[in-house]
Amino acid sequence: MGTATLLIVLNLFGMFPGYLSFGWVADHLGRRKSFVLYLFAAAVFVPLYAMARSQAAVLVLGAVVAFFGTGFFLGIGADRERDLSHSAAGAGLGIYV
């Protein structure tokens, strides 16, 4: 497995728990605090990721950035779906034909 493939795989492994944990955190802290927490964590880790020089640091920080940087997107989609009818939200996401 090449380095680029490993980076993509680790990013995906970081994204999935980020999606799941955001929902749990939002249930316990509220959506607004969760957005702030995840955005703040992403803002902290993105510059560290950009400054990483070793391959190991890029791989590890990539997963961490993916965890915090994508977790809150699920909350944005869920918020929009609540405001729309289910068929309109599904059609907007490409779920219904």
Side-chain angles (χ1 to χ4, degrees), residues 2-95:
T3 305
T5 304
L6 184 59
L7 179 61
I8 292 169
V9 168
L10 289 175
N11 280 340
L12 292 173
F13 277 114
M15 286 179 195
F16 185 67
Y19 289 136
L20 296 178
S21 68
F22 182 84
W24 185 85
V25 171
D27 285 344
H28 289 82
L29 294 180
R31 285 185 303 172
R32 182 169 294 172
K33 289 179 183 176
S34 299
F35 278 111
V36 170
L37 174 68
Y38 274 66
L39 287 171
F40 179 76
V44 168
F45 284 108
V46 167
L48 295 175
Y49 178 67
M51 292 185 298
R53 297 290 177 234
S54 73
Q55 184 177 4
V58 169
L59 294 173
V60 170
L61 287 172
V64 173
V65 167
F67 179 90
F68 288 109
T70 59
F72 58 85
F73 286 126
L74 180 65
I76 293 171
D79 195 31
R80 287 182 193 219
E81 184 176 344
R82 186 196 70 217
D83 295 338
L84 299 170
S85 69
H86 289 293
S87 61
L93 296 172
I95 295 173

